[in-house]
Each structure stands twice: as structure tokens, then as C-alpha cells.
Amino acid sequence: MEIIHVLFNITVLALIVNTGLSLYGVFARPSLVKKIIALSIFSDTINLIVVLIGFRHAEPNPVPPILISVPPTKEDIITFMQKAVDPVPQALVLTAIVIGLAVTLYLMFLTIQIYRIYGTTDVRKIAKLKG
Amino acid sequence: MITLEVYYLLMAVATVLSTVATYFAVIERDLVKAAIFSALQSSFYALIFYLLMAPDIFLTYVPVSVGLYTALVLILIKKTERYEGE
């Protein structure tokens, strides 16, 4: 039981480090393309943390929240209640992935338009321009 | 028979490797290499989604975030600049 706790803590710590690294990429790197890459890493990390909150420990192993037989028998429902992980964060994350793709596409078109007008994607050079 | 410790070990190794990939994706000045490191990080995240018992998210995440997203970033780099901070 101890080694499982240590490994799970390593997982959570590495995800928090990922969040910090991607926020550094969004705020401190000059290129707009690099900002878009870091923003997608940030949103993926948050999605993963949300799914990780819905995860739970079960013996001998947790199962996906899927009912195979329709209508479910009593044994199926008992197994679902005892072993299945939480399905609500998974449904929310599935929506968030698709919405994140749409937002990223919008930012990419903005970046292409900025490059067409100003001739650069460096925010330090864009900030110095007038007009 | 795979024991439960192996699941948690794979999860920890995948998150640590994704942290390494994220570091190189943020630090790298060549944006094509940064996009490839980002795809590597997304692959590790897909593995973690599978280990967290979310197979539907795994099936959505692999084509969107590893394939489609990387292709879009490469098209964006082709239309703009390749190196950041000249």
C-alpha cells in the first residue's frame, strides 16, 4: 500500500510541475506560436487533473464506467458501484477537449493575421510598433 | 496477471516523462521541434488517460491532440516564422 501512495504522489507532483512550466511558456516566451503550444499543454494538464480527481482506488482493479448489458442486472450495478471510476469528470473533459481545439484554431487564425499585418510573431516587436 | 502496482508505476513514469517533454517543448527555440515535443507529451497524456480508466477520452484525445493539433501547428509555423526570438 505504501509504494502505491508514493507513486500516486509522484504523479500529482509531476502534473503540478507541468502546470507551472506551461504557465511560464504562456507568460514569458516571446513567440505567439510558442504561447499557443504552451496554452494547449496547460489546458491538457488541467483536463488530466480533473480526470485524476474522479479516479479512485479499487481492489483488485478499477473498471471503466461502462455498463455492458441492457438492462443491467443487479450484479452489474453492484460491480459498478464498487469498482467503477466517476463518469462525470470524463464527460466534462470530453467536451472541454473539443472546445479547446476550437479556441486554439481561433488563436491560430489571429496569429496568421498578425503576421500578415505586422510581419512578425514576436510580442516584443509588436508592442514597440505604433498605429 | 498485472498487479495494481504496475498501473501506478506506469502512471508515475508517464507523468515524469511528460514533464521532461513539456520542459523541452517550452525551452526549445526551433518551433518545429517544440511541436514534436508537444506531440510526445500528448502521447504520454493519452497513456495516462487510458490508465485512469477513461477509454472514451483516450479515443478522442489521440487523433485530436497528437494528430490534428500537431498538423495545425506545423501549418501555422509554415505560414509564419520558424525560430522564436531572433
Side-chain angles (χ1 to χ4, degrees):
Chain A
M1 203 63 190
E2 283 300 317
I3 185 73
I4 286 177
H5 285 166
V6 171
L7 291 173
F8 194 74
N9 286 340
I10 289 174
T11 305
V12 175
L13 274 178
L15 287 179
I16 291 171
V17 171
N18 263 356
T19 311
L21 275 174
S22 53
L23 276 180
Y24 165 75
V26 171
F27 286 119
R29 303 299 291 183
S31 171
L32 282 171
V33 182
K34 181 59 74 66
K35 282 180 193 290
I36 290 175
I37 291 174
L39 187 68
S40 90
I41 294 175
F42 177 68
S43 75
D44 287 347
T45 309
I46 297 299
N47 287 338
L48 192 54
I49 289 174
V50 170
V51 174
L52 193 70
I53 289 171
F55 185 70
R56 76 171 184 189
H57 182 81
E59 296 285 345
N61 61 316
V63 296
I66 296 169
L67 287 173
I68 301 172
S69 58
V70 178
T73 60
K74 196 175 176 184
E75 288 78 18
D76 285 342
I77 295 176
I78 289 172
T79 307
F80 189 88
M81 295 302 292
Q82 284 174 346
K83 289 183 181 178
V85 299
D86 194 356
V88 176
Q90 300 188 6
L92 295 177
V93 165
L94 199 61
T95 316
I97 287 174
V98 182
I99 294 174
L101 181 70
V103 171
T104 307
L105 266 176
Y106 175 63
L107 292 175
M108 283 175 179
F109 276 111
L110 278 184
T111 305
I112 290 176
Q113 199 64 26
I114 284 173
Y115 184 73
R116 280 179 186 158
I117 293 174
Y118 297 124
T120 180
T121 55
D122 195 330
V123 290
R124 295 170 301 187
K125 292 178 188 169
I126 293 171
K128 283 178 191 168
L129 294 175
K130 288 189 170 62
Chain B
M1 182 64 192
I2 298 175
T3 58
L4 203 55
E5 284 85 1
V6 179
Y7 280 103
Y8 283 90
L9 182 65
L10 277 175
M11 218 187 292
V13 169
T15 39
V16 170
L17 287 177
S18 75
T19 302
V20 176
T22 305
Y23 175 76
F24 283 115
V26 170
I27 292 299
E28 182 65 54
R29 292 170 66 92
D30 189 354
L31 291 172
V32 175
K33 287 182 186 172
I36 292 170
F37 278 123
S38 173
L40 188 67
Q41 169 261 342
S42 296
S43 309
F44 287 125
Y45 274 17
L47 176 64
I48 301 163
F49 275 127
Y50 181 73
L51 291 173
L52 287 177
M53 302 296 152
D56 48 347
I57 299 178
F58 171 74
L59 289 175
T60 313
Y61 190 79
V62 168
V64 167
S65 193
V66 180
L68 184 59
Y69 175 74
T70 307
L72 286 172
V73 169
L74 289 178
I75 291 171
L76 178 64
I77 293 168
K78 189 175 186 304
K79 284 186 177 296
T80 58
E81 296 170 328
R82 178 164 176 173
Y83 297 95
E84 77 164 344
E86 311 264 307

